[in-house]
Amino acid sequence: MQIEQATVFPPFDGGLSFLTLLYYYVRMKTNQIIDAMLSRKSCRAYSAERISADELDAVVQAGLYAASGGGAQSAKLVVITNKKIRDTLSKLNADVMKTASDPFYGAPEVIAVLADSSVPTFVEDGSLVIGNMLLAASSLGLGACWIHRAREVFRSQEGRLLKKQWGISDSFEGVGFCIVGHQAAPGKSYEHRADRIIRVN
């Protein structure tokens, strides 16, 4: 078994024995949750093929079970399969960036995550929801990506109108969009920096 230090571990510095590293490597690769975390990549190219309702529901359920500050569960998930609404949100997002391109990269399904700003941890709550959904999508062999600028989108006049139509209080702020679909191209791999762990013993 070959250990790829650049993608799994920081360069071996003698702090852990080789056998200890090997043990953790095997444990991580045989744990489905950790394997999904290590193998997940952001997808920025999607086919027009829709994912199944069961797949979409599985991703959404994973989001609902995310941890939240004090168990407040402050986040709401708006599951968008309506192409007209999807395209409207794409345009509003593109307007924030002042671009004509599709910020959703052609993904047919979009999940908007908003959270109650009266809860101190609303940003963290919504972020954990998106993180769970990204991992769930990856574990199902689907492409997914976090798309930013939800706060600006839902502060716009059109965004506020959409919230009202969906029965969502104006106190809810956009946290992010999770786009999901079948990959048209694999996600890009990035080499992990080795200076991100500081151990205080």
Side-chain angles (χ1 to χ4, degrees), residues 39-62:
S39 60
R40 189 204 65 80
K41 297 179 179 65
S42 295
C43 176
R44 294 180 174 84
Y46 296 83
S47 71
E49 180 185 358
R50 308 297 293 264
I51 66 175
S52 72
D54 286 344
E55 289 172 324
L56 185 56
D57 285 345
V59 171
V60 171
Q61 286 297 316

Side-chain angles (χ1 to χ4, degrees), residues 25-102:
Y25 178 79
V26 172
R27 284 291 300 274
M28 286 191 292
K29 295 303 288 183
T30 55
N31 182 302
Q32 292 180 341
I33 295 175
I34 294 179
D35 189 46
M37 291 176 177
L38 297 180
S39 60
R40 189 204 65 80
K41 297 179 179 65
S42 295
C43 176
R44 294 180 174 84
Y46 296 83
S47 71
E49 180 185 358
R50 308 297 293 264
I51 66 175
S52 72
D54 286 344
E55 289 172 324
L56 185 56
D57 285 345
V59 171
V60 171
Q61 286 297 316
L64 288 178
Y65 278 83
S68 62
Q73 302 181 46
S74 68
K76 288 186 183 290
L77 290 69
V78 183
V79 185
I80 299 143
T81 56
N82 179 295
K83 187 177 187 305
K84 182 178 179 181
I85 299 299
R86 179 254 183 235
D87 291 347
T88 296
L89 289 171
S90 172
K91 183 181 184 305
L92 291 174
N93 199 305
D95 288 347
V96 176
M97 295 192 295
K98 296 179 171 50
T99 181
S101 62
D102 176 17

